[in-house]
Amino acid sequence: MAAQTVASTTESTVDLGPAAALSCRECGHRVPLGPVFACEECFGPLEIAYDFSAYDAEELRKRIEAGPANIWRYAPLLPVPADVADKPNLNPGWTKLVKADHLANELGVDAGKLFVKDDSGNPTHSFKDRVVAQALEAARAFGFTTLSCSSTGNLAGAVGAAAARAGFRSCVFIPHDLEQGKVVMAAIYGGELVGIEGNYDDVNRFCSELIGDPAGEGWGFVNVNLRPYYAEGSKTLAYEICEQLGWQLPDQLVVPIASGSQLTKIDKGLQELIKLGLVEDKPYKIFGAQAEGCSPVSTAFKAGHDVVRPQKPNTIAKSLAIGNPADGPYVLDIARRTGGFVEDVTDEQVVDAIKILARTEGIFAETAGGVTVGVTKKLIENGVLDPTRTTVVLNTGDGLKTLDAVAGTGLTATIRPNLDSFREAGLA
Amino acid sequence: MAAQTVASTTESTVDLGPAAALSCRECGHRVPLGPVFACEECFGPLEIAYDFSAYDAEELRKRIEAGPANIWRYAPLLPVPADVADKPNLNPGWTKLVKADHLANELGVDAGKLFVKDDSGNPTHSFKDRVVAQALEAARAFGFTTLSCSSTGNLAGAVGAAAARAGFRSCVFIPHDLEQGKVVMAAIYGGELVGIEGNYDDVNRFCSELIGDPAGEGWGFVNVNLRPYYAEGSKTLAYEICEQLGWQLPDQLVVPIASGSQLTKIDKGLQELIKLGLVEDKPYKIFGAQAEGCSPVSTAFKAGHDVVRPQKPNTIAKSLAIGNPADGPYVLDIARRTGGFVEDVTDEQVVDAIKILARTEGIFAETAGGVTVGVTKKLIENGVLDPTRTTVVLNTGDGLKTLDAVAGTGLTATIRPNLDSFREAGLA
């Protein structure tokens, strides 16, 4: 009887496919699916609990392979309705997994063993399209009509674009003094773009206030009240990497750390594939990558701490500049459990790594991609990452969005328009 | 005997798949495959002649559908070796065909009938990746070791990136006084980036001189001596559109005009699909789109002329700003033969159209995309384009590359970080 009562109170009435309930990551308390993000018992973070019990591995694999060339091929594993691919959304994902033999050669990795998962190919050119697409479907299911977020960059554009495609109103909050280029990238989609007189912390505080106020009714804040759904989008990176490797786990992954959510969800995705029998169970190592100017997690990892001490960010890798990462402790757990490591690189190394990746593979990465490639290089040099094993490095954004970081790059020669001048420059 | 002799002199020794020879578009004279672009008999443009005689429609369709999610699924129809997908290249294409119901509603097109082919999803975010990928494979086949071009924008980045991935040296020539942002986008890939003291015409003249000089030996200029191969890349837009429509021809296409090559090759691609039996033969109309500030083809079309009078370009749509378009007369032929039209829009209409597309579909287009969407709007308003028929509009580039064009776009409100200020701004 008691068990039945519990089942009844955790029953969800919205259709989000295999998502059965929300479950607290700390105490396991379950509540029905809804726009909530903190456990009512212990204030721990809520995440999606799934019912995958009906799946047969072979049937599921075939169903996925016959699906569309975007994240909705994994709809059976995501908190979305079965007909999600028919609804208007940006359909991100299924980005390229690039076999990076020239980069491997440069870094001393065995040929055929190094891959770059290039998420700059998403609709608004960052991995944020994956998480926003999940939040949008949750917003639809809960009857929200406005999509919102606080942001200083990639997320603002991803939310504006997704809302436009889906026919939602959007209202994005940013610090009022952002660079003009970033404002244009966010404003072009025609939603409300509100500058807050204050810094990013002020913007966040205001958003929390708005959620609790009647004025925020009907608003889905992708990274606040829709966060449990939003965060699941990062699982699709794990699914795609394994499917693109021929349904195999990589031996090593190098993942950037901002809040740490992406890394924890990639681990969750890999564990799901193992449990579902879609990949063979074998050890893998997850390595976290930070910029030295915002390295609270790598600092804690190296010091052997379980808690992460907040840091005031000062780095060109602005999309990773979260000084108090919510999922920091979970990242430490995962890196230690899998035998990985958390490392950081200087801004100079970030810029060098951006150039190395562009020169060797023709991929122009955002600063976050410079962080992962730079950390990969450092981990190999230090003997921490095994250059003989299959390794996947994430590039989560596009270099066109952080042109300032490499502004010094320029002409290799200037000549007059004739062959003599060409020869004098030593170009022949 | 005479026929045998001709056959012998036109035999090609390189393996470029179904490509059998080069053939003059004016006089039909055939020569073996090689790095040449003008007919030795009449100076007409050379293009690829194929041998598709062995293909069975059903088998070919299945082979394509089982192929990779990039242009190499169409390798049987392109001048590339059969194993092209195994070689290191950027693998562009298979970009999204977006069912644009919100845009349709805005422009007065029937629901479900309007599509945007969004080529901003290519590796360097413009359709140029398609044509450069073809030129690269030709360069490989001819034993070239340097990939080169003259450029003022998208092409420079596409060549630099493709050369980096493939392990080629690259040497790109640009006017020395380009905007710093464009220089960075081209320089990041680490090839030679040479500024020429002069304007774009000087750059082009110098490149022609270099091709004829021993200093240019071993150099593949993608848009000069490799142009016949390069141009074929645009056929893949036609193939993808038809396959993504379920192997059907669209009724109407709106295509931007720079040199006019893209439009003529899209027509060629559609004709090939009809002849191969991959789509049902039915009429289609091709509409050309120009900016008013560079509208030599639309001017000639409207005046009923067969020749195109050169114009000095003055428009924000710089990627279309070719005042003396080489394929202009062919474009006029195709627009007239298919019952289409060539139209132009003002720079103000270009900016409006960029905003309409972003607001309705979450697609941030380059100015060239503003030209096609703007022309589509104008053609519907003028009763020239039928809003009840299936219509595909091309977006060939990414708005991040032409931020200046929409620099006026900004915050919709600025508030203090509290709910009273939020309510005063009328945002609740």
Side-chain angles (χ1 to χ4, degrees):
Chain A
M1 283 292 282
Q4 260 194 336
T5 309
V6 171
S8 157
T9 60
T10 63
E11 204 174 321
S12 299
T13 53
V14 295
D15 174 15
L16 286 172
L22 292 172
S23 162
C24 176
R25 186 148 50 171
E26 288 300 327
C27 75
H29 179 67
R30 280 165 80 103
V31 293
L33 297 170
V36 289
F37 55 104
C39 177
E40 59 198 354
E41 299 286 327
C42 75
F43 303 105
L46 295 175
E47 57 177 11
I48 313 284
Y50 294 94
D51 179 6
F52 293 155
S53 58
Y55 294 146
D56 168 81
E58 260 327 293
E59 275 172 32
L60 181 58
R61 187 179 311 180
K62 278 185 196 149
R63 185 168 153 194
I64 290 169
E65 288 173 350
N70 58 53
I71 55 171
W72 306 130
R73 66 199 286 113
Y74 306 108
L77 305 178
L78 296 169
V80 293
D83 63 347
V84 62
D86 301 332
K87 298 174 190 287
N89 59 55
L90 291 179
N91 300 331
W94 203 240
T95 56
K96 293 182 197 298
L97 183 73
V98 176
K99 183 149 83 64
D101 281 349
H102 293 132
L103 179 63
N105 186 50
E106 176 99 12
L107 300 186
V109 176
D110 287 5
K113 294 293 187 184
L114 186 62
F115 297 83
V116 175
K117 179 63 175 171
D118 186 12
D119 247 17
S120 67
N122 275 317
T124 72
H125 308 316
S126 90
F127 99 97
K128 292 287 185 191
D129 291 324
R130 296 178 184 271
V131 287
V132 170
Q134 303 297 321
L136 173 68
E137 294 311 318
R140 226 193 291 258
F142 298 138
F144 291 148
T145 51
T146 298
L147 210 59
S148 185
C149 71
S150 55
S151 172
T152 64
N154 284 332
L155 187 56
V159 166
R165 176 72 59 84
F168 275 60
R169 179 178 180 242
S170 72
C171 189
V172 168
F173 298 96
I174 59 175
H176 70 117
D177 54 357
L178 271 197
E179 304 94 300
Q180 178 59 17
K182 286 196 179 161
V183 173
V184 172
M185 286 185 223
I188 195 70
Y189 303 104
E192 301 283 353
L193 184 68
V194 181
I196 299 276
E197 290 174 1
N199 60 25
Y200 185 59
D201 287 337
D202 295 317
V203 179
N204 269 327
R205 260 193 302 275
F206 169 73
C207 287
S208 300
E209 209 183 332
L210 184 54
I211 288 173
D213 190 87
E217 216 166 295
W219 289 44
F221 285 80
V222 300
N223 53 351
V224 189
N225 58 349
L226 299 177
R227 189 167 186 88
Y229 310 90
Y230 169 89
E232 294 295 284
S234 291
K235 290 196 313 180
T236 59
L237 279 162
Y239 301 156
E240 290 182 17
I241 288 167
C242 290
E243 184 178 352
Q244 289 170 324
L245 288 174
W247 292 110
Q248 287 209 308
L249 292 168
D251 298 315
Q252 305 173 118
L253 290 108
V254 185
V255 181
I257 301 171
S259 73
S261 167
Q262 185 184 64
L263 189 147
T264 66
K265 293 300 178 178
I266 286 175
D267 180 59
K268 186 181 181 190
L270 298 177
Q271 290 296 324
E272 286 175 353
L273 294 185
I274 292 170
K275 283 185 199 122
L276 286 161
L278 288 175
V279 298
E280 195 189 340
D281 190 4
K282 62 164 193 170
Y284 59 84
K285 298 182 179 184
I286 299 188
F287 298 85
Q290 297 208 292
E292 190 183 82
C294 183
S295 53
V297 186
S298 65
T299 302
F301 184 92
K302 292 176 191 175
H305 294 161
D306 291 332
V307 292
V308 172
R309 183 187 301 214
Q311 201 180 89
K312 196 173 156 63
N314 179 22
T315 168
I316 57 168
K318 291 193 200 303
S319 64
L320 303 182
I322 297 183
N324 188 13
D327 285 357
Y330 301 115
V331 168
L332 293 172
D333 284 351
I334 291 166
R336 288 177 180 138
R337 188 194 80 221
T338 65
F341 201 89
V342 185
E343 188 52 277
D344 55 83
V345 283
T346 65
D347 282 359
E348 200 184 342
Q349 289 170 317
V350 170
V351 171
D352 279 351
I354 290 173
K355 290 180 183 174
I356 290 171
L357 181 62
R359 173 167 53 77
T360 55
E361 300 297 339
I363 296 172
F364 184 16
E366 207 204 357
T367 43
V371 169
T372 50
V373 172
V375 161
T376 303
K377 184 169 185 286
K378 187 169 176 180
L379 290 172
I380 292 167
E381 285 164 0
N382 293 347
V384 179
L385 194 137
D386 185 344
T388 70
R389 310 304 298 263
T390 300
T391 303
V392 176
V393 181
L394 262 63
N395 172 39
T396 52
D398 200 291
L400 292 183
K401 294 189 173 194
T402 55
L403 281 177
D404 287 351
V406 289
T409 316
L411 296 175
T412 52
T414 304
I415 65 171
R416 292 178 305 284
N418 61 61
L419 290 168
D420 285 344
S421 183
F422 176 77
R423 288 198 186 86
E424 277 163 28
L427 292 161
Chain B
M1 282 293 281
Q4 259 192 340
T5 311
V6 172
S8 159
T9 60
T10 62
E11 206 176 320
S12 299
T13 54
V14 295
D15 174 15
L16 286 172
L22 292 171
S23 163
C24 176
R25 186 148 50 168
E26 288 299 327
C27 75
H29 178 67
R30 281 165 79 104
V31 295
L33 296 169
V36 287
F37 55 104
C39 176
E40 59 198 352
E41 299 288 326
C42 76
F43 303 107
L46 294 174
E47 56 178 13
I48 313 285
Y50 294 94
D51 179 4
F52 292 156
S53 58
Y55 294 146
D56 168 81
E58 260 328 292
E59 275 172 30
L60 181 58
R61 186 180 311 179
K62 279 185 195 148
R63 185 168 154 195
I64 290 170
E65 288 174 350
N70 58 53
I71 55 171
W72 306 129
R73 63 200 284 114
Y74 306 109
L77 305 177
L78 295 170
V80 294
D83 65 346
V84 62
D86 301 332
K87 297 173 191 286
N89 58 54
L90 292 179
N91 300 330
W94 203 241
T95 57
K96 293 181 197 300
L97 183 72
V98 176
K99 184 149 83 61
D101 281 348
H102 294 130
L103 180 63
N105 185 50
E106 177 99 10
L107 301 187
V109 176
D110 287 4
K113 294 294 186 182
L114 186 63
F115 297 83
V116 175
K117 179 63 175 170
D118 185 12
D119 246 17
S120 68
N122 275 317
T124 73
H125 308 318
S126 89
F127 99 98
K128 292 287 186 192
D129 291 324
R130 296 178 184 272
V131 287
V132 170
Q134 303 296 321
L136 173 68
E137 295 310 317
R140 226 191 292 257
F142 299 138
F144 290 149
T145 50
T146 298
L147 210 60
S148 185
C149 70
S150 55
S151 171
T152 64
N154 284 330
L155 187 57
V159 166
R165 175 73 58 84
F168 275 60
R169 179 179 180 240
S170 72
C171 189
V172 168
F173 298 96
I174 60 175
H176 71 118
D177 55 358
L178 270 196
E179 305 95 299
Q180 178 60 15
K182 287 196 178 161
V183 172
V184 172
M185 287 183 220
I188 195 71
Y189 302 104
E192 302 283 354
L193 183 67
V194 181
I196 299 276
E197 291 174 0
N199 59 25
Y200 184 59
D201 286 337
D202 295 317
V203 178
N204 269 327
R205 260 192 303 273
F206 168 73
C207 288
S208 299
E209 209 183 334
L210 184 53
I211 289 172
D213 189 88
E217 217 167 295
W219 289 44
F221 285 80
V222 300
N223 52 352
V224 188
N225 58 350
L226 299 176
R227 189 167 185 88
Y229 310 90
Y230 168 89
E232 294 296 284
S234 292
K235 290 197 311 180
T236 59
L237 279 162
Y239 301 155
E240 290 182 16
I241 288 167
C242 290
E243 185 178 351
Q244 289 170 323
L245 288 174
W247 293 109
Q248 288 207 306
L249 292 168
D251 298 313
Q252 305 173 120
L253 290 108
V254 185
V255 181
I257 301 171
S259 72
S261 168
Q262 185 184 67
L263 189 148
T264 66
K265 294 300 179 181
I266 286 175
D267 180 59
K268 187 182 181 188
L270 298 176
Q271 290 295 323
E272 286 175 353
L273 294 185
I274 292 170
K275 283 183 199 124
L276 287 161
L278 289 174
V279 298
E280 194 188 341
D281 189 5
K282 62 164 193 170
Y284 59 83
K285 297 182 180 184
I286 299 189
F287 298 84
Q290 299 208 292
E292 189 184 82
C294 183
S295 54
V297 187
S298 66
T299 302
F301 185 90
K302 291 176 190 173
H305 295 160
D306 291 331
V307 294
V308 172
R309 183 187 300 210
Q311 200 180 91
K312 196 172 157 65
N314 179 22
T315 169
I316 57 169
K318 292 195 199 303
S319 63
L320 303 182
I322 298 184
N324 189 12
D327 284 357
Y330 302 114
V331 168
L332 294 172
D333 284 351
I334 291 166
R336 288 177 179 137
R337 188 194 79 223
T338 65
F341 201 88
V342 184
E343 188 52 277
D344 56 82
V345 282
T346 65
D347 282 359
E348 199 184 342
Q349 289 170 317
V350 170
V351 171
D352 278 352
I354 289 174
K355 291 181 183 173
I356 291 171
L357 181 61
R359 172 166 54 76
T360 55
E361 301 296 340
I363 297 171
F364 184 16
E366 205 204 357
T367 43
V371 170
T372 50
V373 172
V375 161
T376 303
K377 184 170 186 283
K378 188 170 175 179
L379 290 171
I380 291 167
E381 285 164 358
N382 294 345
V384 179
L385 194 136
D386 184 345
T388 69
R389 309 304 298 265
T390 300
T391 302
V392 176
V393 180
L394 262 64
N395 172 39
T396 52
D398 200 293
L400 292 182
K401 295 189 173 192
T402 55
L403 281 177
D404 288 350
V406 290
T409 316
L411 297 175
T412 53
T414 304
I415 66 172
R416 294 181 304 284
N418 61 61
L419 290 169
D420 284 344
S421 184
F422 177 77
R423 287 196 186 89
E424 277 162 29
L427 291 161

